[in-house]
Amino acid sequence: MNLGGLSPDKAPPVDAPLGLFYLMPPFLALAGLVLAWQGDQVLLSRWSPAALAVTHFLVLGALAPVMCGALLQISPVLFGTPFPRVRLVARLTSTGLGIGALLIGTGFLAGYPSMLLSGGAVAAAGLVVFLAGSWRALAHGSAATAASLWTVRLSAAALAVTVLFGLMLALSRAGWLALPGHLGWVDTHVSWGLAGWIGLLLAGVGMEIIPLFYISPPFAAWLKRALPFAVFGLLVLITLLATQVHAVPMLNAAVVALFLVHLLYNAAALYVEQRRQRPRRDANLWLWQGSHLAVFGAFAAWFGGAAQSLVGVLLLAAALAFMIGSLMKIVPFLTWLDLHQRRAAGGHLHVSLPRLGMLLPEKVANGVAFTLGAATIAVLLGPFLPLTARLGGGLLVLCAMLLGLSLARAGRARNTVIDRFGSVSYTHLTL
C-alpha cells in the first residue's frame, strides 16, 4: 500500500465513518427481500412501486451512507480539510438517511404519499447537514489534489441538485406541486443522482484509492481535470433539455456524451488496474473491475434499446460493486489504523495488532463478491426467466449477511484489542 501524499494522522474518529458504513448491510437486505417478494414487478417497469422501493433502499439506504462516510474519511486524509464537528455530522446524516430511506421505500410499497413526503424531508434534512459540513470542509484544500478536490466538490453540488429535485417530485406526488413534464423531471433527478453524485464521487475516490491499494500508475492528470466539469456541464444541459418536447435528439446526444465521459474513466480504471504492481487478484479487485464492466454493459443496453429497468440494474450493480469492494478494503485499514494510533498514543507497543487479512478473511470477501455477482446475473435474467429475479433477491440478502458479518468481525477484533489496551493500563497502575 502506497500512503505517499496522504495524512492518516488527520483521519477523523473511526466511529464517524463506521456509523454510516453500517447502514449498508440492512438496506441491502431490505432491497433483496423486496426482490425476493416481487422480483417480477421490479423488472416489469421502472415505475412500479416495488422498483421504486428497491431503488431508494439501495441508493438512499445502502449507497449514500457509504459515500458520505467515505467523504468524511477522505477529506482530511487526502485534502487536509476535516469536516467540522464530524461526529455530529455523521450521526445526523446516518439518522436522516436511515429513517428517510425506510419511510420512502415503505411509502412506495404501501402507496402512501404522506410517507414519501415525510421520508423525503427526513432524508433531505440529514443530507443538508452533510452538505453544510461538506461546504465547510471542501472550501479549501491542497493545491496538489486540486483536480480530485473539484471532482468531489461537484459531486456534492450534484447531490444538492438531486435532493432538490427529489423533494419537488415528492411534493408533486402528494399533490402539493404541479410539475409539467413530470417524467422528464424524474429522468433528470435520476441523472443527477447516478451520473452526478454517485458517478462523480466514485470516479473521484476511485482515481485516488485504486493506485493507493494496488500500487498502480496514477490516472492521467488531464482526465482528473476534465472529467468533473464535463459531467457537470452535460448534466446542466440535460436538465435544460429534459422537459422540452422538441429537443429529444439533442437530449439523446447529451446522454450519449455523458455515458462516454464515464466510460472513459472506467476504461482508464481498467487500464490502471491491469498495470498494478500487486499481481495477485482478490475479491475487491474483481468487484472493482466488475463495476467498470457493468457501466459498459449499461451503455450497450441503453444504446441497444433495452428496457430502462435493465439499464438501471446494471448501473446500480456497478455502484454497489465498487462501494462494497471499497468497504472491504477501507474498513480493515481504518480498523488497523485506529488501533495503531491508540497503541502509539497509550504506549502499548508490546500489544500485537491483528493483520489486515485477519480483520477480513479472504473466504468471507470471496463470498460477498460471489453472491453480489450471482445476484446481479440472476436479476438480469429476470425478463427471460421470471423466477431468477426472486432468486437474485435471495442472493442479495445473503450478500448483505456476509457483508454485515465481515463488518461485525472487524468491529469485534477492534474492541478486543482496545480491551487489551485497557487491561494492560490497569495492570501497570496496580503494579
Side-chain angles (χ1 to χ4, degrees), residues 29-56:
L30 279 175
L33 287 172
V34 176
L35 274 169
W37 172 37
Q38 296 189 21
D40 52 339
Q41 296 300 312
V42 171
L43 296 177
L44 181 64
S45 168
R46 59 180 285 205
W47 308 110
S48 69
L52 293 168
V54 167
T55 300
H56 285 83

Side-chain angles (χ1 to χ4, degrees), residues 34-395:
V34 176
L35 274 169
W37 172 37
Q38 296 189 21
D40 52 339
Q41 296 300 312
V42 171
L43 296 177
L44 181 64
S45 168
R46 59 180 285 205
W47 308 110
S48 69
L52 293 168
V54 167
T55 300
H56 285 83
F57 281 149
L58 290 177
V59 174
L60 269 182
L63 286 171
V66 176
M67 294 167 64
C68 292
L71 190 50
L72 287 177
Q73 180 67 34
I74 203 171
S75 181
V77 173
L78 179 62
F79 307 130
T81 54
F83 274 63
R85 304 191 67 179
V86 64
R87 280 195 171 99
L88 180 61
V89 169
R91 290 193 190 103
L92 293 176
T93 303
S94 61
T95 301
L97 287 174
I99 296 175
L102 189 60
L103 287 173
I104 292 172
T106 306
F108 277 122
L109 290 173
Y112 293 148
S114 58
M115 290 186 73
L116 297 178
L117 192 57
S118 57
V122 174
L127 288 172
V128 165
V129 171
F130 176 77
L131 286 168
S134 302
W135 181 270
R136 291 281 302 275
L138 302 175
H140 307 285
S142 168
T145 57
S148 296
L149 182 58
W150 270 110
T151 305
V152 173
R153 283 171 175 165
L154 291 180
S155 74
L159 172 61
V161 176
T162 305
V163 172
L164 175 62
F165 287 166
L167 286 175
M168 289 170 58
L169 291 169
L171 289 170
S172 174
R173 198 176 183 96
W176 293 4
L177 177 68
L179 278 181
H182 180 82
L183 297 184
W185 285 108
V186 173
D187 287 340
T188 305
H189 170 65
V190 172
S191 298
W192 280 96
L194 285 178
W197 162 234
I198 296 177
L200 273 181
L201 189 60
L202 262 58
V205 172
M207 286 189 284
E208 297 298 333
I209 69 173
I210 291 172
L212 168 69
F213 284 111
Y214 286 99
I215 317 178
S216 67
F219 284 75
W222 67 266
L223 179 62
K224 285 187 173 183
R225 289 194 300 268
L227 181 138
F229 296 102
V231 168
F232 201 87
L234 286 167
L235 285 170
V236 171
L237 178 61
I238 288 171
T239 303
L240 296 174
L241 298 174
T243 56
Q244 305 298 317
V245 177
H246 304 293
V248 174
M250 289 183 62
L251 177 61
N252 287 337
V255 172
V256 169
L258 186 61
F259 260 118
L260 291 177
V261 173
H262 277 295
L263 289 177
L264 188 61
Y265 155 70
N266 284 279
L270 286 168
Y271 174 74
V272 165
E273 287 161 0
Q274 287 301 110
R275 298 186 64 200
R276 67 193 183 280
Q277 293 183 30
R278 287 185 57 195
R280 182 173 172 272
R281 290 181 175 273
D282 56 18
N284 310 95
L285 184 62
W286 286 115
L287 283 168
W288 283 350
Q289 293 186 331
S291 170
H292 307 319
L293 294 174
V295 178
F296 280 90
F299 175 68
W302 179 84
F303 197 75
Q308 291 181 326
S309 56
L310 291 182
V311 178
V313 168
L314 284 164
L315 289 175
L316 285 174
L320 283 171
F322 193 87
M323 292 313 300
I324 289 174
S326 301
L327 264 188
M328 292 195 298
K329 279 291 185 187
I330 292 172
V331 170
F333 174 69
L334 291 184
T335 302
W336 179 88
L337 180 63
D338 176 65
L339 292 175
H340 173 75
Q341 291 174 338
R342 286 173 180 264
R343 184 176 69 167
H348 308 306
L349 300 181
H350 53 287
V351 177
S352 60
L353 300 183
R355 299 190 308 273
L356 291 178
M358 293 176 60
L359 294 172
L360 180 58
E362 186 175 359
K363 289 183 179 180
V364 178
N366 290 340
V368 172
F370 174 79
T371 51
L372 180 63
T376 302
I377 294 171
V379 173
L380 290 173
L381 291 174
F384 314 102
L385 299 169
L387 285 178
T388 63
R390 297 176 184 269
L391 173 63
L395 288 167

